[in-house]
Amino acid sequence: MHRVAVLPAALLALACLAAPAGATANHRPTALEPAASAAAPKLLRFGQAVRVKGDKGGMLRIAPVGIYYHRPTWGPATKPRNKFFVALAIRVTAVSKSDQMPLPYGSQWRIKQGARIFTTSSGKAGDAPWVGRAQGAYVTVHRGSPEVVYEAFDVPATGGVLEWSDPSGLYRWRIPTSNAGKSTHEAVLDAIADYEGR
């Protein structure tokens, strides 16, 4: 009688041992199984350059070289939806043939602050006072003649992580928490003064 009672329990134990590996809480992927998510690339130094493919297929060297935080005070000026308009200055160098930055379809700048992500179309970024007044990413860059172009963001705080992604990969930089790259600010300050009629 006791032997019969033990049999179902033994079968249950065998069934648990035969269960798929994925059913256990402590399962770790084998070399043949993809990890749930790839580790993010290391943070680059702000100003460090990387190579990306340009809009026409040529190679470009790009580097974030300046950041400017702007809180409009002029009455009629458009205010950011969050707290700051951010001007990101990017030095672009054509490695081989003339080219320009890729259009933001499959390639994109974004700023991550905590769990939130902001792109160049988030909030009122398109209404930043230098948009259309300072050189944008549409400029053609010729070999041997680097250009500085500007992107705009609308963010709630300073700092964060800047990311550039395209089909070939992801690059990340730690953003300074205060204005940096003073030599790149002149065009932005001129554009702000022009917008505000000063």
Side-chain angles (χ1 to χ4, degrees):
M1 298 287 288
H2 293 291
R3 289 178 188 170
V4 174
V6 170
L7 186 58
L11 289 174
L12 180 61
L14 285 172
C16 289
L17 289 174
T24 62
N26 296 324
H27 170 64
R28 294 180 181 176
T30 66
L32 297 177
E33 297 175 78
S37 61
K42 68 176 184 178
L43 285 174
L44 301 171
R45 185 184 71 255
F46 193 79
Q48 189 170 345
V50 298
R51 287 192 176 201
V52 302
K53 188 173 287 188
D55 188 47
K56 299 176 183 176
M59 293 305 296
L60 300 173
R61 188 164 56 247
I62 63 172
V65 292
I67 197 90
Y68 186 79
Y69 298 98
H70 179 59
R71 296 185 72 182
T73 55
W74 182 55
T78 299
K79 306 299 190 294
R81 183 171 297 165
N82 294 294
K83 188 174 183 180
F84 297 97
F85 281 133
V86 174
L88 171 67
I90 307 141
R91 181 180 294 118
V92 186
T93 306
V95 175
S96 52
K97 62 181 182 178
S98 298
D99 211 326
Q100 64 186 48
M101 291 290 293
L103 295 173
Y105 308 109
S107 304
Q108 189 176 47
W109 289 106
R110 57 182 172 261
I111 290 177
K112 295 181 76 174
Q113 294 183 338
R116 300 181 68 184
I117 297 174
F118 303 90
T119 70
T120 55
S121 58
S122 296
K124 295 183 180 178
D127 296 327
W130 54 88
V131 173
R133 294 177 174 82
Q135 191 160 262
Y138 51 81
V139 171
T140 297
V141 181
H142 303 282
R143 186 178 181 187
S145 183
E147 299 280 359
V148 173
V149 300
Y150 296 88
E151 295 285 4
F153 296 88
D154 178 345
V155 298
T158 64
V161 173
L162 174 68
E163 294 188 343
W164 165 264
S165 65
D166 65 17
S168 66
L170 170 68
Y171 302 97
R172 306 164 73 236
W173 296 263
R174 176 70 66 189
I175 305 172
T177 55
S178 57
N179 295 343
K182 290 183 179 180
S183 62
T184 65
H185 295 166
E186 186 176 350
V188 171
L189 294 173
D190 285 348
I192 292 171
D194 176 57
Y195 174 74
E196 296 182 354
R198 296 181 184 180

